Amino acid sequence: MRAVVQRVTDGSVTIEDRVRGKIGKGFVVLLGIHTDDTPEMVDFFADKIVNLRVFEDEAGKMNRSLLDAGGAILLVSQFTLYADCSHGRRPSFIEAARPEKAIPLYERMIERLRGYSIPVETGEFGADMQVRILNDGPVTIILDSNDIYRKKVP
């Protein structure tokens, strides 16, 4: 699983000229699901995302989580996070999970994030979307299951 988490002051996703999801302060999360991902990994990532301490406290230090800051999440599926560009010039996406596996995990992520009682807006899995991101900072965090999950969980 890969997630690109961007702290934003504003974010939205539009599909066919209609705004599907829109948030103010919070995170736009671009989520790629790998062929080896599991429901447990989704749960781990949801907890990691909402508890990332990248919002400023009273002293101006990045010390507050999304939960502390009262932010929202705009979650957008993005299989291209698993682009393999090591050969030739056309990316391969064979490591990205097929829809029959990815959709249930994406929906689980939505459910888990909403379980923290925060506003969660979404794109539409597999749709052609225009994503507007007004990055705040800029703060962009990349979470990769190979780096944070597989090293922590036996």
Side-chain angles (χ1 to χ4, degrees):
M1 186 168 298
R2 286 189 181 141
V4 177
V5 181
Q6 297 187 61
R7 186 180 75 181
V8 300
T9 56
D10 187 53
S12 66
V13 62
T14 302
I15 303 168
E16 295 180 359
D17 296 321
R18 190 179 127 263
V19 175
R20 163 70 187 249
K22 181 173 177 47
I23 64 165
K25 176 178 73 174
F27 289 148
V28 171
V29 179
L30 307 174
L31 184 70
I33 299 173
H34 189 273
T35 57
D36 294 337
D37 288 347
T38 65
E40 295 78 19
M41 200 175 295
V42 170
D43 299 348
F44 178 88
F45 263 61
D47 184 69
K48 180 68 87 173
I49 290 166
V50 299
N51 287 294
L52 281 174
R53 293 174 26 191
V54 297
F55 290 89
E56 292 180 356
D57 63 14
E58 301 75 26
K61 302 254 189 237
M62 289 197 318
N63 202 28
R64 299 177 71 214
S65 71
L66 181 75
L67 297 173
D68 298 331
I73 291 180
L74 176 59
L75 182 69
V76 179
S77 63
Q78 189 170 347
F79 76 94
T80 60
L81 291 176
Y82 276 103
D84 178 356
C85 299
S86 60
H87 301 292
R89 298 202 171 138
R90 184 170 186 264
S92 167
F93 301 104
I94 61 172
E95 291 187 29
R98 303 278 312 145
E100 53 273 9
K101 177 171 185 168
I103 290 171
L105 293 177
Y106 175 70
E107 291 173 350
R108 183 181 181 105
M109 179 64 80
I110 296 166
E111 176 186 310
R112 290 301 185 260
L113 292 171
R114 287 184 175 151
Y116 288 93
S117 299
I118 56 173
V120 177
E121 297 285 322
T122 67
E124 181 181 320
F125 191 95
D128 182 22
M129 298 175 273
Q130 289 71 52
V131 181
R132 193 169 131 261
I133 301 170
L134 186 53
N135 195 311
D136 181 25
V139 174
T140 302
I141 308 292
I142 299 173
L143 304 175
D144 189 308
S145 56
N146 285 328
D147 297 332
I148 63 170
Y149 182 78
R150 289 187 176 95
K151 289 181 182 176
K152 302 262 187 239
V153 179

